[in-house]
Amino acid sequence: MTLRLSICGAGLGMVLSLPLAAAQQVITLDSGTNMALAVSPDGQRLVVDLLGQLWRLPVGGGGAEPLTPPEHEARNPRFAPDGEHVIYQSYAGGQWDIWQLSLATGERRPLTSGPFDDREPDVAPDGATVVFASDRGGNYGIWTLDLDTDELSQLTSGAGEASFPSYSADGASIVFVNRRGPRWSLELLENGATRTLVTSSNRLRAPSWRPSGAVIAYVEHGAGWAALKLLLLGSDPVTKTLTQDEDVFGFRPAWLSVAELMYTADGGLWRRSIDAKRRQAVPLFAAITVNRPEYNRRVRDFDSGDPQPLLGIRGPSVSPDGETLAFTALGDLWLAEGSGAARRLTQDPFLDIDPVFTPDGNSLVFASDRGGGMEIWQLNLETGAARQLTRGEGSAYLPSVAPGGDQVAYLRAGRLGLWGRSDVYVGTLDGRSRLLKGALPSPSRPSWDPQGQRLLLSSLAPFSNRFREGRNQLLSIRLADGEARWQPTLAAAPLGTRGHDGPAMTTDGRQITTIANGRLFVGPRGAPEALLENLKPLGRGLASSPSFSADGQVLAHRQVDAMRRLDLATGESEPWPLQLTWQRPARSEKYVIQAGRLFDGIGNRYRRHMDIHVDGRRISAVAARGTLPNPGRVIDASDLTVIPGLIDSHAHQSALAGERQGRRWLAFGVTSVREPGGDPYDALERKEAWASGQRLGPRLFLTGHLLDGPRVYYGQAASIADRDRLVQELDRARRLGFDLVKTYVRLPDELQREAIRLAHEIGIPLSSHEVYPAALFGADAVEHLGATSRRSFNPKVSPLQRSYSDLDQILAAAGMVFTPTLALNGGFSLTVADHPELLQDPAYLALFSPAERRGLTGFLGFFGSGPPLKQRMSQLGATAARLVRSGARLTAGTDAPFIPYGLGLHVELQVLRASGLSADQVLRLATAEAALALGAHGDLGTVEAGRLADLVVLDGDPLQDINDTLRIRAVVSDGRWLSRESLLVTPDLETTRYAPPARGATVAQR
């Protein structure tokens, strides 16, 4: 089969014949979600932004010709006055720049560059300048570019975040949108002065001048409504609403004449006279290509009892003498000498993390949940005595001891743990603490200056208030009064992830180290105004978790799957051998569960009176009652319902939840979790501790850092500057055995394509927030219906939370797995408002602290309430149901911790059921379909002979009432029967304490 494609680049209209692989499909789109358009000056041609490509078609509509390639991401087109050039914004360089396209030659060239975002351009009527919104000035202001001289000029510098500037017909005035806090306004810039035309509590977007002037068309979005409006200028400006009950997209309308304009709404292109009540559709047909991924998927071994290399070495820190390494593995504290001989200091069900030595080397200060919540503790290495140093709300973590040994700085996170904001505290070792700096987005471990007067850490420095992303930058905080100032950035490369990646200083403050672009940077510390100027990169490997000895001669750090010891005096680097292993616990028990009703995940109804035979960790048989001999243990569930273990297909975690995290999942029947993004070593520690039985928990499918672009938001996001850095991260995925790769919102499409190729080479899937061109590149999955985006809009749903056939067709044709997370996007708030008893679930009350439960209250109001929220969820639910009917693959996920672990998945099932899906369909999204998406459908997701014994036993009928999935009596996880009551009981530290064993290299199986 041959596909004929029109390739536009060096010359328009060139036709190539390409072989069409079996995995490729060409689909024709006649509608789009969130399109922008521009009309040529002669009124004969349209340029439309569909799926981030520019397309040309006649103004009367018809077949569309692509003008830009999919990976170029072109948005917000505007015609130049000559009609032969189009000005637009593109993300091709890893930031939004203003570009120019020649319609005659197809040549594209950038007009702006640099680390800033330049958006929403318009062209002056004389064609000499381009006006645009940019964050070059520290917030979003209005800028111009002289096309002859390339000179940039800043027109506005006041408060607020400006967007969508538009020239008047004579070029003398510019109207733009501005936002100051909750208020939106249209503002007019004339002769260097700005005045306000319209203000609103609703979102205003995309003004466009009528050719004759004095009239401006713009878009307004309210709670559950959108409208195209006119503003008639004069001494007393008047507004007029042109549309009713339309899903008007938030882009500039284009004037065809003084009386008629074009705009995008309801998935299409429309013409409307300003005095008419009816609109006229403009047909659009655009052909795109998608690729179903075809590669050899890595098969995961769930059964081996052989020793496995221990990879979850979390938070390593070197001793003052440089001879010993402290770290967390399998939830416990360990010490390892330079020879690699390891000694386990603690062994209990609790989680001990982030150890650092006191300056005398006699103690470790660390975080632990052994006292209830995660707090800071001190362990005397000579006596083994441990004492709690802090008490407070939230989770304390990442302690750092002052050079004098008398103070400790640490972080304290709220309900969201590492996925939210943290406060910086300083305390003394006798237990007194004070708040130093509040609400930093998951910063790094603090580092002390030698005088004990300031702390240095890495935090997020946003570019503006309009968008949350920024860059990791060093922040210096004065202990006397909490005064904070940003330090100059490292010019050579972006700083690494926050958390354990530095900065770190020697005790005398002369040397400093940090991670930048994945590499270790070390050097003498400069003055505050030149703190990092003398740092040089050491080695080429992917480094993390650096720490100094007291004299600054030894620098320990991790290099992917190994620890290394660097002698700074000689420059020699050598491995720090840690030959530790873990094993799965043996499962030999045989028993049978006599189920009254069995939903096996295959059919759409119950199988009645079935016996489920469990042998070790697998199901040996599923048979009618009594047809097979019973083993010694028989569990009577003849009045109960058995379903497959539930799978949450999207949740983020961290160690800050402590030991109870695994019990949270299991108590809500969740036996497998897909974790698409986090600190890789934190996640590996959790995976190995759960799989080895050191702590109770589900089966974990994980990845490492969110692979992001030059700007980041979360502390667990890696800033990928180039292909070499991307290759390093995919090599880490291979060496650490990741189950998937997750790219994030600021990674450019060209690197997204390469990430997909590299992930498939090692046999694992890739997911992101992107639909297209990810579907062209062969991406496996996409997350969230309402999602964070690098654009000023969501390409999956409109302002009224509707999507159109472009989403349906692409997902179905590409076979991408979609996890819509409806409960996250308002479904949890709506469901809890209607059913407040959900927050009285015994597992929720037992396994979430009062502070965590109080912290949820603010989230419940984030998406609004009442009829607007119900309308929002009705639209989102309708999209999910339509996707299933169209043949798209869906799974159920939550994006916890933003909604509660475990409980959130049950609410997601309720929201999906309310959307119109049948109960059996909903259950399969959290069982069989999820297992298929994980590549584990031969082991998980259904109740069949040979499958792993992951089951939930319910006192209810979920096919009749999906809410009954919460009526949990027991859970079977990896063959182990666990009553729900037992999962709500916190282990007793006194009964699990033990004397540390002799030194050895192998982790003893419990």
Side-chain angles (χ1 to χ4, degrees):
M1 181 177 180
T2 299
L3 168 68
R4 292 177 64 83
L5 291 176
S6 177
I7 307 297
C8 300
L12 297 179
M14 181 173 60
V15 177
L16 299 180
S17 294
L18 302 175
L20 183 61
Q24 286 189 341
Q25 289 194 50
V26 177
I27 57 178
T28 300
L29 304 178
D30 60 6
S31 67
T33 304
N34 286 327
M35 298 182 293
L37 62 76
V39 176
S40 62
D42 62 8
Q44 299 302 307
R45 293 161 294 158
L46 292 177
V47 170
V48 175
D49 153 19
L50 171 65
L51 299 173
Q53 280 186 268
L54 299 186
W55 304 75
R56 177 168 55 187
L57 68 159
V59 75
E65 174 190 14
L67 299 176
T68 58
E71 64 274 12
H72 184 63
E73 183 152 15
R75 303 281 183 181
N76 285 305
R78 300 292 277 175
F79 270 95
D82 62 10
E84 295 302 319
H85 294 85
V86 174
I87 306 296
Y88 60 98
Q89 68 182 72
S90 172
Y91 196 71
Q95 65 281 324
W96 290 108
D97 294 316
I98 308 303
W99 284 62
Q100 183 184 71
L101 167 70
S102 169
L103 295 176
T105 66
E107 178 187 2
R108 304 183 305 272
R109 68 182 185 93
L111 301 180
T112 63
S113 61
F116 304 103
D117 276 349
D118 302 326
R119 302 173 183 254
E120 301 136 4
D122 192 23
V123 191
D126 62 5
T129 59
V130 173
V131 66
F132 56 95
S134 177
D135 58 11
R136 294 169 177 269
N139 66 334
Y140 265 87
I142 304 303
W143 291 67
T144 58
L145 169 71
D146 187 302
L147 292 178
D148 290 330
T149 65
D150 293 333
E151 180 182 354
L152 290 168
S153 300
Q154 185 175 2
L155 301 187
T156 66
S157 58
E161 299 291 332
S163 62
F164 283 106
S166 179
Y167 277 110
S168 61
D170 60 5
S173 304
I174 296 171
V175 65
F176 63 96
V177 174
N178 204 5
R179 182 183 184 183
R180 295 180 178 89
R183 301 295 296 179
W184 295 78
S185 61
L186 289 184
E187 299 190 6
L188 187 66
L189 178 62
E190 290 179 320
N191 301 318
T194 300
R195 63 186 175 94
T196 299
L197 301 175
V198 174
T199 62
S200 177
S201 58
N202 300 315
R203 186 176 190 178
L204 304 181
R205 288 178 66 86
S208 177
W209 289 86
R210 189 167 71 173
S212 63
V215 177
I216 298 170
Y218 66 99
V219 179
E220 185 169 1
H221 294 148
W225 59 270
L228 179 61
K229 292 190 170 185
L230 291 184
L231 173 64
L232 285 67
L233 300 180
S235 57
D236 187 13
V238 176
T239 60
K240 175 183 178 180
T241 300
L242 296 181
T243 61
Q244 294 290 333
D245 301 321
E246 292 184 27
D247 187 12
V248 181
F249 299 161
F251 305 97
R252 293 185 183 101
W255 290 88
L256 293 168
S257 68
V258 295
E260 187 180 19
L261 45 72
M262 293 191 68
Y263 62 103
T264 58
D266 296 323
L269 314 177
W270 303 92
R271 300 176 68 149
R272 177 183 286 277
S273 171
I274 61 174
D275 57 1
K277 295 183 179 180
R278 297 178 63 85
R279 60 182 181 174
Q280 177 185 348
V282 177
L284 165 70
F285 304 99
I288 66 167
T289 302
V290 300
N291 283 279
R292 283 180 175 260
E294 289 188 345
Y295 59 98
N296 294 321
R297 185 87 175 252
R298 195 190 70 194
V299 178
R300 183 162 156 182
D301 182 356
F302 297 104
D303 295 295
S304 174
D306 297 337
Q308 307 290 321
L310 191 70
L311 299 173
I313 305 296
R314 190 190 186 285
S317 181
V318 73
S319 62
D321 62 8
E323 298 297 326
T324 306
L325 198 68
F327 57 90
T328 295
L330 300 177
D332 296 319
L333 298 180
W334 294 72
L335 293 181
E337 298 177 349
S339 63
R343 178 161 56 104
R344 198 171 194 163
L345 298 179
T346 61
Q347 187 171 14
D348 52 57
F350 298 99
L351 185 53
D352 305 327
I353 61 171
D354 301 337
V356 290
F357 288 87
T358 52
D360 60 13
N362 294 328
S363 298
L364 287 179
V365 175
F366 62 102
S368 177
D369 66 332
R370 59 185 53 234
M374 190 67 69
E375 295 291 348
I376 306 302
W377 289 67
Q378 184 176 16
L379 176 69
N380 188 302
L381 294 176
E382 295 180 356
T383 66
R387 65 188 183 99
Q388 186 172 343
L389 301 181
T390 66
R391 288 174 174 81
E393 279 199 0
S395 300
Y397 67 110
L398 283 178
S400 176
V401 183
D406 57 338
Q407 296 185 88
V408 58
Y410 62 94
L411 307 178
R412 187 175 290 280
R415 180 181 71 88
L416 301 181
L418 296 183
W419 295 93
R421 293 178 176 266
S422 295
D423 301 329
V424 183
Y425 277 80
V426 173
T428 59
L429 293 185
D430 62 7
R432 293 174 295 168
S433 294
R434 64 183 176 90
L435 174 66
L436 182 63
K437 181 72 176 176
L440 296 177
S442 54
S444 72
R445 186 197 297 271
S447 182
W448 291 81
D449 74 357
Q451 292 77 33
Q453 295 179 356
R454 299 192 77 93
L455 297 177
L456 188 67
L457 50 80
S458 174
S459 189
L460 179 72
F463 279 74
S464 74
N465 291 324
R466 185 179 173 192
F467 298 95
R468 66 182 188 174
E469 291 84 11
R471 58 190 171 197
N472 294 334
Q473 195 167 330
L474 298 190
L475 186 66
S476 174
I477 308 174
R478 188 164 58 197
L479 268 72
D481 55 9
E483 177 267 336
R485 63 173 182 253
W486 293 109
Q487 302 296 308
T489 58
L490 186 64
L495 291 185
T497 57
R498 306 188 291 271
H500 296 94
D501 280 358
M505 285 188 290
T506 54
T507 303
D508 61 13
R510 294 181 180 178
Q511 295 279 323
I512 185 171
T513 181
T514 191
I515 305 296
N517 203 26
R519 300 178 68 183
L520 188 68
F521 278 71
V522 185
R525 175 187 174 186
E529 62 275 8
L531 185 70
L532 304 178
E533 69 174 5
N534 297 315
L535 268 61
K536 304 297 181 185
L538 293 179
R540 299 190 60 82
L542 197 58
S544 59
S545 299
S547 63
F548 281 112
S549 62
D551 61 9
Q553 295 304 300
V554 174
L555 177 58
H557 65 95
R558 179 173 27 227
Q559 192 164 306
V560 186
D561 55 359
M563 289 298 302
R564 297 196 68 84
R565 185 178 187 272
L566 176 65
D567 188 320
L568 292 178
T570 65
E572 294 182 358
S573 177
E574 60 182 2
W576 198 313
L578 295 175
Q579 303 300 320
L580 300 175
T581 62
W582 65 274
Q583 289 175 270
R584 288 186 178 85
R587 295 264 193 268
S588 58
E589 184 183 12
K590 296 182 180 181
Y591 60 93
V592 63
I593 302 171
Q594 296 180 333
R597 293 180 295 266
L598 170 63
F599 176 76
D600 60 12
I602 304 168
N604 61 1
R605 61 188 66 188
Y606 294 124
R607 299 167 68 184
R608 305 278 180 168
H609 310 299
M610 303 300 294
D611 287 350
I612 305 167
H613 291 259
V614 178
D615 186 350
R617 53 176 37 93
R618 290 196 176 263
I619 298 169
S620 59
V622 179
R625 180 70 43 79
T627 56
L628 292 177
N630 286 336
R633 184 183 182 192
V634 176
I635 297 174
D636 182 7
S638 56
D639 293 328
L640 305 176
T641 301
V642 177
I643 65 173
L646 299 175
I647 301 172
D648 190 324
S649 291
H650 190 121
H652 300 284
Q653 305 179 83
S654 78
L656 300 193
E659 171 277 335
R660 65 200 163 122
Q661 177 69 352
R663 290 189 292 120
R664 284 172 170 174
W665 288 121
L666 295 178
F668 283 103
V670 180
T671 56
S672 292
V673 174
R674 174 176 172 265
E675 186 175 337
D679 181 308
Y681 304 99
D682 176 81
L684 283 164
E685 185 283 326
R686 186 161 45 253
K687 174 182 176 180
E688 292 168 348
W690 287 346
S692 66
Q694 297 293 314
R695 297 196 302 275
L696 283 174
R699 188 173 289 99
L700 186 58
F701 297 81
L702 60 84
T703 187
H705 302 302
L706 304 168
L707 303 187
D708 214 345
R711 301 187 186 192
V712 299
Y713 177 70
Y714 290 111
Q716 298 84 344
S719 182
I720 306 299
D722 50 40
R723 183 185 181 279
D724 289 343
R725 178 77 172 87
L726 181 68
V727 170
Q728 287 183 322
E729 286 292 346
L730 270 295
D731 179 62
R732 170 156 45 194
R734 178 185 60 81
R735 290 163 65 176
L736 297 183
F738 291 173
D739 299 291
L740 68 148
V741 171
K742 169 76 174 294
T743 59
Y744 211 53
V745 298
R746 296 280 305 198
L747 190 73
D749 288 328
E750 283 285 10
L751 290 179
Q752 167 99 332
R753 183 207 300 265
E754 185 68 0
I756 292 168
R757 186 186 69 80
L758 293 170
H760 290 174
E761 278 187 359
I762 60 179
I764 58 175
L766 182 142
S767 186
S768 70
H769 287 193
E770 303 300 311
V771 176
Y772 201 82
L776 172 65
F777 304 154
D780 300 81
V782 60
E783 314 296 320
H784 310 302
L785 189 53
T788 301
S789 167
R790 60 178 171 251
R791 308 150 196 97
S792 60
F793 60 93
N794 181 348
K796 298 170 202 162
V797 294
S798 71
L800 295 190
Q801 308 304 307
R802 300 173 187 170
S803 66
Y804 296 90
S805 63
D806 55 337
L807 182 67
D808 304 18
Q809 290 179 259
I810 293 170
L811 290 180
M816 296 171 75
V817 178
F818 186 37
T819 306
T821 61
L822 300 182
L824 168 73
N825 287 286
F828 191 88
S829 302
L830 181 63
T831 304
V832 168
D834 291 341
H835 300 281
E837 68 275 8
L838 286 168
L839 299 185
Q840 299 303 310
D841 183 275
Y844 182 66
L845 295 175
L847 298 174
F848 291 80
S849 70
E852 288 171 320
R853 300 198 300 272
R854 287 194 301 271
L856 180 65
T857 303
F859 176 83
L860 293 179
F862 181 79
F863 292 100
S865 60
L869 180 57
K870 291 184 178 181
Q871 181 181 355
R872 171 190 176 89
M873 292 314 304
S874 174
Q875 297 292 351
L876 293 175
T879 294
R882 193 182 68 244
L883 287 170
V884 172
R885 290 193 295 269
S886 71
R889 300 173 58 193
L890 266 65
T891 58
T894 60
D895 208 19
F898 300 97
I899 59 176
Y901 295 109
L903 176 62
L905 183 61
H906 292 268
V907 173
E908 180 76 5
L909 300 184
Q910 294 174 27
V911 174
L912 288 165
R913 179 71 180 94
S915 73
L917 297 178
S918 65
D920 63 287
Q921 286 178 313
V922 169
L923 288 177
R924 275 193 295 274
L925 298 187
T927 55
E929 291 294 335
L932 179 63
L934 291 169
H937 47 288
D939 297 286
L940 299 172
T942 58
V943 184
E944 299 178 80
R947 299 296 191 267
L948 289 162
D950 282 9
L951 308 166
V952 187
V953 182
L954 305 172
D955 181 14
D957 183 351
L959 292 186
Q960 181 68 31
D961 184 353
I962 198 67
N963 299 337
D964 281 1
T965 58
L966 271 169
R967 298 178 63 177
I968 299 169
R969 293 282 294 274
V971 177
V972 178
S973 174
D974 202 37
R976 183 177 182 180
W977 175 276
L978 299 162
S979 70
R980 198 186 204 205
E981 290 78 7
S982 70
L983 291 167
L984 308 189
V985 178
T986 301
D988 185 349
L989 180 63
E990 294 301 320
T991 62
T992 57
R993 185 178 298 166
Y994 84 117
R999 297 179 182 181
T1002 301
V1003 177
Q1005 179 180 303
R1006 294 182 68 234

